[in-house]
Amino acid sequence: MIRTATAADVPVIHAMIRELATYEKVPDEARATEEQLREALFGERPAAFAHVAVSDAPDASDAPDASDASDASDGRDDPTGAPGEVVGFALWFLNFSTWRGVHGIYLEDLYVRPEKRGGGHGKALLAELARICVERGYERLEWSVLNWNEPSIGFYRSLGALPQDEWTVYRLTDSALTRLGAGR
């Protein structure tokens, strides 16, 4: 089951963000606190939004879906998880296309806990964001993936997502951002 995240989900989302940073080999870069996350998602002016994947009670229809490899791992002991357990999340915000003249969704993070992968949670999270796009007239759902993350790349391609090979992401952070912001 996919549902909109609540403030009560912040601790588990925060923990999964740390897990994702470890998977991406940069655990020290995940510096956001639970308080910052709570403010960003549920403050007076939310800057981002989140949905969570929650395990349903297992039944015969919950057979693992091999195409759900989002940030895949080989650990698949119980792909559905305990009923009601948050097993994954999608954190996103709105972007805007000047060419199309409408908003889109930028997916900042998609994560399903390694032992819960294969149960369709990643696909269900992406399907919910696609549904929101269609419902609201947004024309793009975009995200980035690390070049070495072959399991996720294969999963995204299986959904029909296409890489934007001619585009390279640039980023200013830390001292470079401070220097430029100070006019130096």
Side-chain angles (χ1 to χ4, degrees):
M1 173 181 79
I2 304 302
R3 66 169 170 76
T4 302
T6 67
D9 296 317
V10 168
V12 70
I13 292 171
H14 184 259
M16 287 189 286
I17 289 169
R18 307 260 329 140
E19 292 169 25
L20 176 60
T22 298
Y23 174 80
E24 292 183 351
K25 304 173 186 167
V26 289
D28 295 336
E29 290 188 27
R31 299 184 300 225
T33 65
E34 285 186 28
E35 294 75 29
Q36 288 172 312
L37 191 56
R38 187 172 286 103
E39 181 63 26
L41 294 171
F42 304 105
E44 187 177 319
R45 299 177 114 175
F49 308 93
H51 284 77
V52 293
V54 179
S55 290
D56 295 323
D59 65 37
S61 67
D62 285 336
D65 174 2
S67 68
D68 181 13
S70 53
D71 293 330
S73 159
D74 291 332
R76 294 179 184 241
D77 11 271
D78 178 11
T80 58
E85 177 187 2
V86 174
V87 298
F89 77 99
L91 195 143
W92 57 277
F93 53 89
L94 295 179
N95 59 14
F96 185 81
S97 170
T98 56
W99 290 13
R100 299 224 174 175
V102 296
H103 282 292
I105 286 178
Y106 186 84
L107 175 60
E108 179 66 20
D109 285 328
L110 174 67
Y111 183 75
V112 175
R113 288 198 153 140
E115 67 276 11
K116 307 305 180 193
R117 295 177 188 151
H121 304 298
K123 183 176 182 179
L125 284 162
L126 284 170
E128 176 61 11
L129 297 186
R131 185 197 65 76
I132 291 168
C133 286
V134 170
E135 177 182 275
R136 297 180 186 178
Y138 303 162
E139 295 189 16
R140 291 182 178 166
L141 172 55
E142 298 178 309
W143 62 91
S144 297
V145 61
L146 291 166
N147 292 335
W148 56 260
N149 194 343
E150 289 298 326
S152 291
I153 291 168
F155 169 62
Y156 299 142
R157 286 181 186 268
S158 78
L159 299 176
L162 300 173
Q164 302 298 298
D165 293 332
E166 295 180 3
W167 294 89
T168 300
V169 175
Y170 281 81
R171 178 177 294 156
L172 280 172
T173 62
D174 304 323
S175 61
L177 178 64
T178 301
R179 273 193 315 277
L180 184 60
R184 293 186 250 150

